[in-house]
């Protein structure tokens, strides 16, 4: 049997779609091969189509099966990525609602807490919960949401290694910030002079708010430098 004429792909159509010079039968044969997934092979396609190997090899070469199937695979990867990002966005929104509700419950209990009765362990656990909540709100790299097309494209280019480095920087930064806040809380508790938990909380909040920009300007560059080995703060 003479080999079929080479197929010219129509630039206005996706490669995996039926082409102008491709019959319904030929396209159906290609779809059989395409839909076998990444483990596809011409030998398996020949078995499914009940055709001999030589016939399938000739048709596959003439109708560019491998090239078109690879384009199909890339297309499916893009669809999967888009679906995964959307599901991740929905999960992040649900988590934020749950976390917000949990923090609200904790806030309702704060007026009944006596700071003088809090042990060091209690303070550490309280700050751990708070910092975990803050870390979630301000961006785990695995849960960062794309706010526009440019951001989404930039995120798609982040490699696994870069993602791991970013996660390490965020983790180290949160741990350093937690240590700073714990030191501040402990110092505030030692200073005393607070008649109520509201007064204690207000004093801590005021000091954290005042020192937060300085902490960030010092800690973030230091943690980036610790992970990447470049730069760092001067102080």
């Amino acid at each position: 049997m003479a080999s079929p004429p080479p197929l010219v792909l129509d630039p206005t159509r996706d490669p995996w779609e039926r082409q102008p010079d491709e019959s319904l039968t030929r396209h159906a044969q290609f779809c059989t091969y395409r839909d076998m997934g990444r483990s596809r092979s011409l030998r398996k396609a020949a078995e499914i189509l009940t055709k001999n190997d030589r016939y399938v090899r000739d048709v596959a070469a003439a109708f560019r099966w491998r090239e078109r199937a690879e384009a199909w695979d890339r297309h499916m990867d893009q669809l999967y990525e888009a679906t995964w990002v959307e599901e991740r966005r929905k999960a992040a929104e649900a988590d934020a609602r749950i976390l917000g509700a949990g923090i609200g419950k904790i806030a309702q209990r704060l007026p009944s807490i006596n700071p003088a009765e809090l042990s060091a362990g209690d303070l550490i656990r309280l700050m751990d919960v708070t910092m975990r909540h803050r870390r979630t709100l301000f961006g785990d790299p695995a849960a960062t949401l794309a706010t526009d097309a440019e951001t989404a494209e930039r995120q798609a280019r982040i490699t696994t290694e870069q993602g791991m480095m970013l996660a390490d920087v965020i983790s180290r930064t949160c741990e350093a910030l937690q240590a700073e806040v714990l030191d501040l809380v402990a110092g505030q508790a030692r200073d005393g002079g607070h008649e109520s938990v509201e007064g204690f909380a207000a004093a801590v909040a005021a000091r954290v708010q005042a020192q937060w920009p300085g902490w960030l300007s010092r800690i973030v560059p230091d943690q980036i430098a610790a992970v990447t080995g470049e730069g760092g703060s001067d102080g």
Side-chain angles (χ1 to χ4, degrees):
M1 183 186 86
S3 299
L7 178 69
V8 177
L9 297 179
D10 185 344
T12 66
R13 301 184 185 184
D14 290 318
W16 54 86
E17 294 180 346
R18 183 187 171 200
Q19 301 299 308
D21 295 327
E22 187 176 35
S23 68
L24 288 172
T25 299
R26 288 279 189 262
H27 186 249
Q29 291 173 340
F30 161 69
C31 289
T32 297
Y33 173 76
R34 179 198 70 187
D35 295 343
M36 291 169 62
R38 283 183 164 83
S39 62
R40 64 177 70 89
S41 71
L42 294 179
R43 181 177 295 277
K44 291 180 181 179
E47 293 176 359
I48 295 174
L49 295 170
T50 63
K51 301 290 185 179
N52 64 60
D53 292 351
R54 177 62 181 273
Y55 170 86
V56 171
R57 284 197 302 271
D58 289 344
V59 172
F63 286 84
R64 303 164 68 172
W65 283 11
R66 285 194 173 92
E67 176 186 347
R68 296 166 68 192
E70 289 173 356
W72 170 258
D73 290 340
R74 290 192 295 272
H75 172 66
M76 295 305 293
D77 288 343
Q78 292 171 353
L79 291 180
Y80 175 81
E81 176 65 19
T83 300
W84 184 74
V85 169
E86 176 62 16
E87 290 301 317
R88 187 175 61 189
R89 183 189 66 80
K90 292 178 181 178
E93 290 179 350
D95 288 348
R97 288 194 295 269
I98 294 172
L99 285 168
I103 293 298
K105 295 297 183 182
I106 294 174
Q108 292 175 8
R109 289 292 309 277
L110 285 177
S112 64
I113 299 176
N114 184 350
E117 296 177 354
L118 292 177
S119 67
D122 293 331
L123 286 172
I124 290 174
R125 284 190 293 272
L126 178 61
M127 290 310 303
D128 181 61
V129 171
T130 303
M131 294 309 297
R132 285 177 186 272
H133 177 61
R134 179 176 295 277
R135 187 179 304 139
T136 300
L137 291 179
F138 286 106
D140 182 338
T144 300
L145 303 179
T147 56
D148 52 36
E150 181 180 352
T151 302
E153 182 179 357
R154 184 170 62 254
Q155 286 182 334
R157 293 197 297 266
I158 295 179
T159 65
T160 300
E161 181 179 359
Q162 289 171 329
M164 293 176 65
M165 291 177 65
L166 181 57
D168 195 14
V169 169
I170 291 176
S171 176
R172 295 171 66 102
T173 299
C174 288
E175 290 173 359
L177 287 173
Q178 177 174 317
E180 294 283 357
V181 175
L182 284 175
D183 288 343
L184 185 148
V185 171
Q188 192 71 32
R190 287 194 300 271
D191 292 343
H194 307 292
E195 297 180 356
S196 66
V197 68
E198 291 88 348
F200 177 78
V204 170
R207 292 185 62 182
V208 169
Q209 184 176 12
Q211 297 193 39
W212 192 264
W215 286 342
L216 289 180
S217 64
R218 171 172 54 84
I219 290 173
V220 172
D222 286 348
Q223 300 312 318
I224 292 175
V227 173
T228 64
E230 300 177 357
S233 67
D234 295 333

